[in-house]
Amino acid sequence: MKFLKKILQSTLIKGTLLLSLAGILCRCIGFLYKIFLSREIGATGLGLYQLIFPIYALCLSLTTSGFQTAISKYVSEKEASQNPGEAKLYLVCGLLCSTFGCVVVTMLLNHYREFIGLYILKEPQSISLIKTMSYSLIPAAVHSCINGYYYGKKKAAIPSASQLAEQLGRCLVIYLIFRITQQKQIPFTASHAIWGLLIGEFFALAICLPPLLFDFKHCRGNIKKASLSIIAFAIPVSANHVFMSLFSSIENLLIPQKLMLFGYQHDDALSIYGTLTGMAMPVILLPMVFTGSISVLLLPIISNAKAKGDSDTITRFIGKAVRYSLLIGFCFTFVFILCSHIIGEVLFHNVLAGVYIARLSWICPFLFLTSLLASIFHGLGNPSFPLKVNLLSCVIRILFIWFGIPNWGIYAYLFGMLISYGVSGIIYLIYTSSITQKDTRKLSSPGV
């Protein structure tokens, strides 16, 4: 009992449990949501629905992700120095910068939505989806920055609740729209489904904004200094996310096109793409809720250890990250292999989904490993190493898409994913195996 009490008193453990529980519930809700969409709009409609998400992720990476991390970092530092007023100033500065960027990007998306739909996505039906999606960027930025503030304060309850509110609100609104379309005998399409993305963000704001306004007092400090600090820290982090989102977008845009070169018709290619990205991948990524929760809370802990010169803590966390990520990853690999056909046939009514899940299950150990170790490197102030590894992984996958899919179909891409994540995992293992208590400080050097 004493051991259990000690564990539960840990801020990292409590925060991880809260975020993991919220994440599991959100993934389960999202999982059921995808099943609902796959049955009501079909694999082709789901493929169209998924087609805009690379653009959405790219926009968020450009305008939001770096500012959330920066806010979390500086709020944590100011709270540690007993200066909560200045911590709130950093939130305000980050929030204004992120929101301004979202306003600009929203205007650009609306102005060039036809060009993006016709010449980039090569799908005319995506134009209306892009317009609706663009309006969700501003509430998403506010929601993300507020979460970063609470992460910096090591309070995971409000971000967890807002995640749940976002998913529940999305599902509720889409179900209501679906019922209305059924009553009016209007076809329920991907254009209707995309409204859930926008409404879900407002549900999240309804949860996280009131506590912040109630607690928001004594905001003070040097606005110019805070703004420059936030921007200087956010730019390299955002660049990292932008590059990864850009490469991910290229991957997702190329897959349907290369499937048509393999011999599939347009609708068949979009159906296979929807089955892979809208059914199989959400299942494979479901366990990432654990590593994602740990990664969010691990970053400030590693940053603190680095600031104190505590190489023992850094080395210990690296060892634990390697052991537990591989252990959990291989466990889920065997679970997915054993249950893949059941998941595909029973939940999705799609045999191919089960086949893809079984093939993709082998990436789990490497996926978890790279996720945790990348967070540790970011905490050490060295995002360049994960960026290089991730770019190499993306290049490998794009090569398999470009040269493999036209000759061997979608299975070339599945094999390419295994190779890319495997190579990334091996590089991380080789690099971290050379780390000792004496040379942990070298991780944060610019030349790494």
Side-chain angles (χ1 to χ4, degrees):
M1 290 297 294
K2 289 183 179 180
F3 176 73
L4 180 61
K5 184 177 179 180
K6 183 178 180 181
I7 289 178
L8 293 177
Q9 286 176 343
S10 169
T11 302
L12 177 62
I13 297 297
K14 288 192 294 185
T16 300
L17 289 174
L18 270 175
L19 287 175
S20 296
L21 179 60
I24 291 171
L25 291 174
C26 286
R27 293 292 177 95
C28 291
I29 294 169
F31 189 61
L32 296 173
Y33 177 66
K34 287 291 178 66
I35 294 173
F36 169 76
L37 287 182
S38 68
R39 293 179 178 178
E40 299 302 331
I41 66 177
T44 302
L46 189 59
L48 178 63
Y49 176 79
Q50 291 291 131
L51 200 60
I52 68 159
F53 277 89
I55 304 295
Y56 182 64
L58 181 62
C59 293
L60 287 181
S61 298
L62 182 65
T63 60
T64 301
S65 57
F67 290 103
Q68 177 183 341
T69 305
I71 290 169
S72 179
K73 175 183 182 296
Y74 285 110
V75 167
S76 179
E77 289 181 359
K78 300 306 175 183
E79 288 286 329
S81 62
Q82 302 298 316
N83 197 349
E86 195 168 356
K88 291 166 186 173
L89 177 66
Y90 277 92
L91 167 63
V92 172
C93 294
L95 191 58
L96 290 175
C97 293
S98 181
T99 303
F100 175 77
C102 285
V103 170
V104 174
V105 172
T106 298
M107 294 172 63
L108 291 174
L109 282 176
N110 273 278
H111 188 267
Y112 293 104
R113 63 180 183 274
E114 292 187 2
F115 175 82
I116 295 172
L118 295 176
Y119 298 103
I120 297 180
L121 299 182
K122 299 185 183 300
E123 181 53 64
Q125 297 180 71
S126 66
I127 295 174
S128 62
L129 276 68
I130 293 171
K131 181 179 180 179
T132 306
M133 176 270 288
S134 68
Y135 295 127
S136 68
L137 292 176
I138 295 175
V142 178
H143 169 214
S144 179
C145 289
I146 294 174
N147 281 352
Y149 173 75
Y150 283 108
Y151 289 141
K153 291 171 69 70
K154 298 181 178 63
K155 294 181 179 180
I158 292 176
S160 301
S162 65
Q163 287 181 33
L164 282 173
E166 180 184 354
Q167 279 287 7
L168 290 172
R170 179 184 305 182
C171 295
L172 176 62
V173 168
I174 291 305
Y175 181 72
L176 291 175
I177 293 175
F178 170 73
R179 295 295 296 176
I180 293 172
T181 57
Q182 290 292 99
Q183 291 176 1
K184 295 186 176 182
Q185 297 182 341
I186 300 172
F188 182 70
T189 65
S191 296
H192 295 112
I194 203 65
W195 277 96
L197 191 69
L198 173 61
I199 304 300
E201 291 295 342
F202 283 103
F203 271 80
L205 279 180
I207 295 297
C208 66
L209 192 57
L212 178 70
L213 296 176
F214 180 78
D215 183 51
F216 208 82
K217 301 175 183 178
H218 308 298
C219 178
R220 60 178 179 271
N222 190 319
I223 297 177
K224 182 179 179 180
K225 178 183 176 181
S227 299
L228 292 176
S229 298
I230 286 284
I231 294 172
F233 188 89
I235 286 176
V237 177
S238 294
N240 192 342
H241 286 282
V242 166
F243 277 120
M244 296 313 303
S245 296
L246 183 61
F247 273 90
S248 178
S249 300
I250 293 172
E251 288 180 43
N252 287 281
L253 296 176
L254 284 176
I255 290 173
Q257 299 173 28
K258 297 301 177 181
L259 283 171
M260 286 189 284
L261 290 179
F262 179 68
Y264 289 109
Q265 296 299 316
H266 175 268
D267 287 349
D268 293 331
L270 205 58
S271 176
I272 290 174
Y273 172 76
T275 302
L276 175 63
T277 60
M279 300 180 193
M281 283 306 297
V283 175
I284 296 297
L285 295 176
L286 184 62
M288 284 291 290
V289 65
F290 297 106
T291 54
S293 300
I294 296 172
S295 297
V296 168
L297 299 171
L298 192 59
L299 190 150
I301 292 176
I302 295 296
S303 298
N304 189 29
K306 176 180 175 291
K308 294 178 179 179
D310 189 357
S311 60
D312 290 341
T313 297
I314 297 173
T315 304
R316 186 170 67 253
F317 272 102
I318 289 174
K320 288 182 177 180
V322 171
R323 290 193 299 272
Y324 291 126
S325 59
L326 291 177
L327 176 62
I328 297 173
F330 279 114
C331 287
F332 276 104
T333 293
F334 291 117
V335 169
F336 287 143
I337 289 175
L338 292 174
C339 302
S340 58
H341 292 294
I342 297 175
I343 296 172
E345 294 176 13
V346 175
L347 294 181
F348 291 112
H349 294 207
N350 191 307
V351 176
L352 270 181
V355 175
Y356 295 160
I357 290 168
R359 299 291 180 91
L360 289 170
S361 63
W362 291 102
I363 73 173
C364 287
F366 305 110
L367 196 62
F368 300 165
L369 178 69
T370 55
S371 174
L372 285 181
L373 292 181
S375 180
I376 289 176
F377 277 92
H378 288 153
L380 290 166
N382 178 27
S384 62
F385 182 74
L387 175 60
K388 293 173 184 176
V389 175
N390 290 336
L391 288 178
L392 174 62
S393 179
C394 288
V395 169
I396 292 173
R397 290 196 297 275
I398 288 175
L399 289 175
F400 272 90
I401 294 172
W402 192 271
F403 297 105
I405 290 182
N407 294 298
W408 299 289
I410 195 64
Y411 292 105
Y413 177 65
L414 302 183
F415 184 70
M417 289 189 70
L418 177 59
I419 295 298
S420 66
Y421 283 111
V423 168
S424 299
I426 291 171
I427 291 174
Y428 271 113
L429 285 174
I430 292 173
Y431 193 81
T432 54
S433 66
S434 65
I435 298 173
T436 63
Q437 294 183 3
K438 182 178 179 180
D439 60 19
T440 47
R441 295 173 182 239
K442 295 180 181 179
L443 287 173
S444 59
S445 63
V448 175

